Amino acid sequence: MSHRIAIASDHAAFAMKSEVAEWLRERGHDVLDLGTNGPESVDYPDYGFRLGRAIEAGEAAFGVAICGSGIGISIAVNRIAAARCALVSEPLSASLARQHNDANVIALGARLIGIEMAKACITAFLETEFLGDRHQRRVEKLSNPQGA
């Protein structure tokens, strides 16, 4: 199944983002590349916010956020209420993020995992469906912390 996927990174992950974007296109996905567009130093929150806002605006169904560790950009993405970003480093976590948390963005650490593991995580993420059922009410609470 083909998806519209937003992708963003900081300078530390520019090379991985570029390779992942091309790989996704080769697999028939429509990729919305939100930058960065080179190895010059940038601030990861700016790109995490861009990705989260693209999800919020419906510009993409899923997102891939990449920085050196994956931590900073995932925090930035999660500041946008419509985005549910999970930092993953192996395929099982990527699948569980979709199944149980209805994650619509995954974050990867370019300095921590290689390109083949990144691709394996993204594949697991995109091929896994949200289970719904008892998980639905929990996911709803993620967007409404005042109601919990």
Side-chain angles (χ1 to χ4, degrees):
M1 175 178 248
S2 175
H3 300 287
R4 174 120 164 130
I5 301 169
I7 189 166
S9 75
D10 70 354
H11 57 282
F14 168 70
M16 180 178 277
K17 179 197 63 107
S18 299
E19 191 167 341
V20 166
E22 181 58 30
W23 174 78
L24 287 167
R25 287 184 188 101
E26 289 170 359
R27 277 147 188 76
H29 299 289
D30 181 14
V31 177
L32 174 61
D33 189 336
L34 300 171
T36 192
N37 298 315
E40 297 78 25
S41 183
V42 296
D43 297 334
Y44 61 81
D46 298 338
Y47 296 90
F49 297 151
R50 283 183 192 177
L51 199 153
R53 289 184 185 120
I55 295 294
E56 180 179 57
E59 296 172 15
F62 295 105
V64 178
I66 316 171
C67 70
S69 68
I71 297 168
I73 202 164
S74 69
I75 292 169
V77 171
N78 280 320
R79 297 286 187 212
I80 309 301
R84 291 177 302 282
C85 181
L87 173 58
V88 303
S89 58
E90 38 65 40
L92 179 57
S93 294
S95 292
L96 290 171
R98 287 287 305 129
Q99 286 179 341
H100 294 186
N101 309 114
D102 198 19
N104 50 17
V105 180
I106 62 169
L108 304 166
R111 293 179 176 153
L112 304 177
I113 65 171
I115 189 66
E116 294 309 316
M117 183 58 73
K119 291 175 183 178
C121 290
I122 295 166
T123 298
F125 181 78
L126 294 174
E127 291 179 353
T128 303
E129 295 292 324
F130 176 50
L131 293 177
D133 196 33
R134 70 182 190 277
H135 302 288
Q136 183 61 48
R137 79 177 187 296
R138 297 169 185 155
V139 169
E140 289 170 5
K141 287 182 179 184
L142 293 174
S143 296
N144 185 21
Q146 296 79 15

